[in-house]
Amino acid sequence: MQIEDSVRTDDGASTTDAGPAVPERYDFGRPAALSREHTRALAGAFDAFARLWAMQLTSKARLRSHITVERVTLETYDEYVSTVPATTTLVLCSDEDADARAIIEFPVSTALLWIVKMLGGDSARPLEARSLTPIEFALLRALMDETLGHLRGSLGGLLSERLAVTAVQYNAAFAQIVSAQELVVVARFSMRLADHTESASIALPAAVLLERLTDTTSAPHAAPDPDVVRHHVEEAPVELTLRLASRPMLPGEVLDLAVGDVLTLPHGEDRPLELAIGDHVVAAAAVGANGARLACVITSSDLSRSLVEETP
């Protein structure tokens, strides 16, 4: 099959450049996108993390925060580096005993704003970007240790429990958690902090993450134990109500009620009361006493149809 491209020259003539279409090779070992199942699972996990991160920033940095997941993609590390700002905060996380790494990225000015707010400052706007001092790095590291804990909790067993914050870089090209052509799972976030919006991202090496995710999603789900289900149902507390037969009334009648009014109820004197859970009648009972307290005596636990359907 050939594709023809027509080009019109200045004198109005049309020339045709025909050439064979070149097929693009597909590497099945390195898919171009996440599967739908993986995307759904990761989006849900990162969404849970975004809510926890927003609550953390609101409480720790005293800054009203709202964070949402924009998208979750599969990219090479080179592609990821090309999308982040030339100067930004890259919190590097690693596990000394395993080849597990991660990057949490956000603007340097935003990091400085968090630090100022944690120290009691009243600034509500991002500050001019600069390198962090040792004290500022210590404060940011303490904050990001907690953030990393939220990330581990949200992703479950997909991240190493020993993953910890190790350093801060300001250029993604120098961070290099994987080689340039290796795949990373990238989650991009929109951060609304007070009255302005910033962008943030998280990059995780795809090889181990997707392998663990596949094992998790493909693991057979254990069938529920009927005895355990029955035990939980039997142990669940319920509220019992002893009641008379109900009487329908118009809203106007209810609004006109006053002290001393007498309401007739469609319940015979010799008719037992209804013992109900919610709207479901489970037994019939008569009023009794137990010492100084009112009580009820069960007269029937299997109400007859004629009694349930009885009308006054």
Side-chain angles (χ1 to χ4, degrees), residues 11-249:
D11 57 2
S14 178
T15 62
T16 301
D17 182 15
V22 180
E24 184 177 346
R25 294 189 179 187
Y26 184 83
D27 186 351
F28 288 91
R30 280 178 32 182
L34 291 166
S35 68
R36 183 175 302 177
E37 184 180 9
H38 287 173
T39 300
R40 187 182 301 113
L42 289 172
F46 282 120
D47 185 61
F49 164 72
R51 291 194 295 271
L52 292 173
W53 196 8
M55 288 189 291
Q56 177 203 6
L57 293 177
T58 300
S59 61
K60 297 287 185 177
R62 301 183 300 109
L63 192 66
R64 189 177 71 256
S65 307
H66 181 72
I67 304 176
T68 56
V69 182
E70 293 293 329
R71 61 188 182 278
V72 180
T73 58
L74 189 65
E75 308 171 13
T76 65
Y77 189 71
D78 255 0
E79 291 171 338
Y80 170 64
V81 168
S82 67
T83 61
V84 300
T87 301
T88 186
T89 307
L90 297 140
V91 179
L92 306 184
C93 311
S94 63
D95 180 358
E96 294 180 356
D97 301 327
D99 192 24
R101 294 182 176 86
I103 285 180
I104 305 176
E105 177 270 330
F106 43 85
V108 178
S109 57
T110 300
L112 293 171
L113 174 62
W114 294 343
I115 293 169
V116 168
K117 297 293 287 184
M118 285 191 291
L119 292 175
D122 58 0
S123 175
R125 302 293 302 176
L127 306 177
E128 184 178 353
R130 58 171 174 78
S131 299
L132 301 178
T133 66
I135 294 178
E136 290 170 340
F137 173 71
L139 291 171
L140 181 63
R141 178 167 185 166
L143 182 68
M144 297 313 297
D145 279 338
E146 186 174 339
T147 300
L148 186 58
H150 292 321
L151 182 62
R152 284 196 304 263
S154 301
L155 292 179
L158 301 181
L159 287 184
S160 169
E161 287 294 326
R162 295 184 297 271
L163 199 65
V165 176
T166 55
V168 171
Q169 287 282 355
Y170 303 102
N171 190 307
F174 296 120
Q176 204 69 27
I177 60 171
V178 293
S179 63
Q181 294 306 311
E182 281 194 60
L183 294 174
V184 290
V185 173
V186 179
R188 289 185 168 83
F189 303 87
S190 174
M191 308 176 69
R192 191 168 73 244
L193 308 172
D195 58 351
H196 66 280
T197 302
E198 300 286 355
S199 297
S201 65
I202 292 178
L204 304 169
V208 177
L209 183 69
L210 296 184
E211 181 180 353
R212 291 179 179 178
L213 184 59
T214 300
D215 293 341
T216 302
T217 55
S218 61
H221 297 285
D225 187 341
D227 292 336
V228 175
V229 175
R230 182 181 181 86
H231 171 74
H232 282 294
V233 171
E234 291 176 347
E235 294 297 322
V238 295
E239 291 188 0
L240 285 174
T241 303
L242 189 64
R243 67 188 188 187
L244 302 169
S246 61
R247 169 188 170 175
M249 295 182 67

Side-chain angles (χ1 to χ4, degrees), residues 243-246 264-274 285 310 312:
R243 67 188 188 187
L244 302 169
S246 61
T264 58
L265 299 175
H267 197 104
E269 292 183 357
D270 58 347
R271 178 181 174 182
L273 305 178
E274 297 175 345
E310 178 184 351

